[in-house]
Amino acid sequence: MKITKFIPAVAVMVPIPATALAQGAAETVAAGPDSGDTAWMLVATALVAFMILPGIALFYGGLVRAKNALSVLTQTAVITAAVMVIWVVYGYSMAFGGAESRWWGGFDRLFLAGIGPDTLSGSIPEYVFVAFQMTFAALTPVLIIGGFAERVRLSGAVVFAVLWVTLVYFPVAHMAWAPAGLFAGWGAMDFAGGTVVHINAGIAALVGAWVIGPRIGLGRELMAPHSLPLSFVGAAILFVGWFGFNAGSALSAGGGAALAMLNTFTATAGAALAWVAIEALLRGTASALGVISGMISGLVAITPAAGFVGPVAAIGLGAAGSAAAYVFVTGVKQRLGYDDSLDVFGIHGVAGIVGALGTGILAAPSLGGVGYAEGVGMAAQLWVQVKAVLVTILWCGVVSFALYRLVDALVGLRVTAEAERRGLDLTSQGEAAYHM
């Protein structure tokens, strides 16, 4: 028996089972899990985990200088492990605990209390849903470290990540995806994490880059990526893993997952072509770094819209996100003078905002989308999207700033000038990525 579950406010808008907007209200039913949905969600969970290790690790590792490559890999692995532990201790409960609060899920699921092998979330075992959402929670703070790469202590990065997911990620995930959440109550459309993952990570990275300050020698020394082939491999892994990220957010192996998968293809293609075309027109060359930057921008832009827009509209949304990210990465960052080392805000933050707002427009049936809730038009939906974006930016920005200051006072964020010049691999990890 197929279990169909909706949030009443968006039932008309999303005519598919267990949509990403209804991620959270677990229920136990006698019929048992749907084997097809369960098998797909197990694969999707593994794909999202693959995005972190090795995907983000290799992507970021190749973009930094050789003397800092291992520090990025180490921070990625340790933060991932730390978040996975606290997710099952209290994170899942805070995000999806079932409390009626608009802001958080409560503590009734501490240590996964009340969940067992026979407990279902929609048509899949709740354990699978817990694991799927755990990969999202682990991935998001890992994205942030790109904003202050090459100059932050491992201890500072890990302590910040633990506090940040507790006070920023878990509440925003509840607001967006739990039935009682603030954004869900408004009817906001965020299929796979435009606000929760990308805008959140982008804003936190921007605040961190500003609080911590630029790298020593920025603007005077060469800080080019030490291995673009490594980053290209990482970006390719992210592309493949993103199908679990987006299509998995349908929480079933049906038409919603198929639409999200196709949109992930077309948006990424449109974004890569847009970045390359802009580079060729403005600079006369099309770079490998530009191709992968465009790819990631498109993947980010389509994330909130993956199950709501049509495949042709997805091409335009990916291209728009890519163009906006290009402007920030190559122009705005230099003019404002902040050192977002690996362009987390420029790509994830900016393309995430474009995707979140574009979802409210392109979901219109006249543009090939799935439509809105009954009685809701494009203008009203767009205003809801704007409100969700603004709350995310404000919440994340204020809390992130306070946490950076707190962590700096507690354990210290930035390494010494001497350690930064020698490289974090030797001074923090006691090893080198390459021996010539």
Side-chain angles (χ1 to χ4, degrees):
M1 177 176 123
K2 189 77 169 179
I3 306 301
T4 303
K5 192 175 60 168
F6 300 100
I7 296 177
V10 294
V12 176
M13 175 170 61
V14 193
I16 57 175
T19 75
L21 290 176
Q23 297 179 359
E27 55 190 89
T28 304
V29 295
D34 182 285
S35 59
D37 291 347
T38 301
W40 162 236
M41 291 307 300
L42 289 169
V43 172
T45 301
L47 285 171
V48 181
F50 192 53
M51 291 173 65
I52 312 171
L53 297 168
I56 295 174
L58 293 180
F59 182 62
Y60 278 1
L63 290 176
V64 298
R65 290 167 289 180
K67 64 182 181 179
N68 297 312
L70 292 179
S71 72
V72 172
L73 303 185
T74 304
Q75 289 178 12
T76 299
V78 176
I79 289 172
T80 299
V83 175
M84 287 180 172
V85 169
I86 65 173
W87 178 254
V88 299
V89 173
Y90 64 84
Y92 180 71
S93 186
M94 287 186 65
F96 300 107
E100 292 303 313
S101 169
R102 296 181 299 170
W103 310 100
W104 73 308
F107 286 143
D108 65 321
R109 295 291 193 182
L110 288 180
F111 299 96
L112 303 185
I115 304 175
D118 297 326
T119 310
L120 300 188
S121 179
S123 61
I124 63 175
E126 190 171 2
Y127 275 145
V128 177
F129 178 72
V130 171
F132 181 66
Q133 283 296 331
M134 180 177 67
T135 60
F136 280 59
L139 179 147
T140 307
V142 169
L143 290 176
I144 297 171
I145 65 175
F148 44 71
E150 303 194 292
R151 57 198 188 275
V152 168
R153 303 173 188 273
L154 174 63
S155 59
V158 174
V159 172
F160 172 80
V162 169
L163 293 174
W164 186 87
V165 293
T166 301
L167 298 177
V168 178
Y169 181 87
F170 300 156
V172 175
H174 178 82
M175 285 187 256
W177 289 330
L182 181 68
F183 302 167
W186 289 341
M189 304 172 78
D190 189 350
F191 194 79
T195 53
V196 183
V197 176
H198 299 296
I199 297 175
N200 245 350
I203 294 299
L206 177 63
V207 173
W210 178 64
V211 170
I212 296 166
R215 289 165 289 179
I216 294 174
L218 181 70
R220 301 188 305 275
E221 300 174 11
L222 180 64
M223 295 187 178
H226 90 278
S227 177
L228 279 177
L230 202 64
S231 292
F232 201 100
V233 171
I237 291 172
L238 284 169
F239 188 10
V240 174
W242 224 290
F243 292 108
F245 197 86
N246 283 352
S249 291
L251 298 182
S252 66
L259 176 62
M261 174 169 280
L262 182 56
N263 283 340
T264 303
F265 274 117
T266 59
T268 307
L273 293 175
W275 195 295
V276 167
I278 294 171
E279 270 195 338
L281 288 172
L282 298 182
R283 299 186 174 188
T285 59
S287 67
L289 180 58
V291 171
I292 58 177
S293 297
M295 284 171 51
I296 302 301
S297 299
L299 290 164
V300 170
I302 196 59
T303 293
F308 300 132
V309 306
V312 177
I315 299 172
L317 185 59
S322 183
Y326 181 90
V327 170
F328 273 79
V329 168
T330 63
V332 174
K333 182 173 75 168
Q334 287 73 21
R335 290 189 182 92
L336 297 182
Y338 61 88
D339 184 16
D340 178 5
S341 307
L342 308 182
D343 296 311
V344 183
F345 173 71
I347 291 180
H348 292 272
V350 172
I353 292 171
V354 170
L357 300 181
T359 302
I361 299 170
L362 298 177
S366 60
L367 298 176
V370 301
Y372 309 112
E374 185 176 2
V376 176
M378 182 187 294
Q381 186 63 50
L382 181 57
W383 173 236
V384 168
Q385 301 298 109
V386 169
K387 289 194 297 180
V389 168
L390 290 177
V391 170
T392 302
I393 291 173
L394 183 62
W395 184 290
C396 180
V398 172
V399 178
S400 296
F401 176 81
L403 290 179
Y404 281 119
R405 293 299 192 192
L406 176 63
V407 173
D408 193 34
L410 291 176
V411 299
L413 276 172
R414 187 156 188 163
V415 299
T416 65
E418 180 184 358
E420 187 174 337
R421 290 191 181 95
R422 290 185 61 199
L424 274 62
D425 288 3
L426 289 175
T427 58
S428 295
Q429 270 65 62
E431 54 193 348
Y434 306 101
H435 297 276
M436 301 296 183

